[in-house]
């Protein structure tokens, strides 16, 4: 299980949420409307995709259950450049895996080279290089 349920009304800016059928997004805006005469309060959540940088919006009742991704953060060492991706070694168990070039934060792409240690986020089975250590 790579997500946990939470109430939409308790979501805060800067946290993460699954929007549009399981795309992890960083929340950049939360608007709460008041309870109407016949309905419950609504929450409008705007998030930007972690992997594709696409802006997504979710509008749900404040008491609705939404999915929060469980983000596993770990350190890996860059081993080599393989085609259009980087081969990394997980420093916890020494297994190797590859991360595509487009799954690296833009501001650190020039700093990635063999031998460098990086912080990797694993969200719902997908990995992204977040920063150089």
């Amino acid at each position: 299980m790579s997500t946990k349920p939470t109430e939409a009304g308790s979501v805060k800016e800067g946290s993460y949420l699954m929007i549009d059928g399981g795309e992890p997004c960083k929340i950049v805006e939360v608007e709460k409307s008041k309870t109407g005469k016949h309905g419950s309060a609504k929450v409008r959540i705007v998030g930007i995709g972690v992997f594709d940088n696409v802006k997504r919006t979710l509008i749900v009742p404040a008491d609705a259950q939404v999915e929060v991704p469980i983000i596993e953060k770990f350190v890996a060492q860059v081993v080599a450049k393989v085609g259009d991706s980087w081969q990394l070694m997980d420093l916890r168990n020494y297994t190797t895996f590859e991360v595509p070039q487009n799954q690296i934060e833009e501001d650190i792409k020039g700093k990635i080279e063999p031998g460098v240690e990086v912080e990797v986020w694993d969200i719902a089975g997908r990995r992204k290089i977040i920063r150089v250590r």
Side-chain angles (χ1 to χ4, degrees):
M1 187 83 171
S2 58
T3 62
K4 62 182 179 188
T6 190
E7 230 173 61
S10 65
V11 172
K12 306 253 185 292
E13 284 183 28
S15 60
Y16 294 84
L17 190 66
M18 299 298 247
I19 302 177
D20 285 352
E23 188 62 38
C25 298
K26 182 173 184 172
I27 299 170
V28 293
E29 185 181 336
V30 177
E31 282 181 26
K32 295 177 184 172
S33 66
K34 294 197 171 158
T35 335
K37 186 176 180 181
H38 299 291
S40 61
K42 297 272 191 285
V43 179
R44 181 177 170 270
I45 302 167
V46 178
I48 297 184
V50 173
F51 294 103
D52 57 7
N53 290 325
V54 173
K55 193 175 192 179
R56 293 177 170 83
T57 305
L58 178 68
I59 301 171
V60 291
D63 59 351
Q65 293 291 310
V66 291
E67 296 292 319
V68 174
I70 296 170
I71 302 173
E72 184 182 349
K73 300 174 184 178
F74 61 93
V75 178
Q77 184 175 15
V78 179
V79 177
K81 177 126 171 101
V82 181
D84 196 30
S85 57
W86 287 95
Q87 185 179 41
L88 303 175
M89 178 177 64
D90 188 338
L91 293 178
R92 299 171 299 180
N93 55 16
Y94 305 110
T95 56
T96 58
F97 58 92
E98 290 187 14
V99 175
Q101 184 72 26
N102 63 350
Q103 297 305 325
I104 301 173
E105 287 289 319
E106 289 297 323
D107 55 337
I108 63 164
K109 282 190 178 179
K111 299 176 186 172
I112 304 286
E113 59 185 46
V116 172
E117 289 186 4
V118 293
E119 183 176 313
V120 179
W121 285 12
D122 188 334
I123 307 172
R126 293 162 67 190
R127 294 182 169 136
K128 182 170 186 171
I129 298 174
I130 299 299
R131 64 186 175 104
V132 174
R133 302 225 2 143

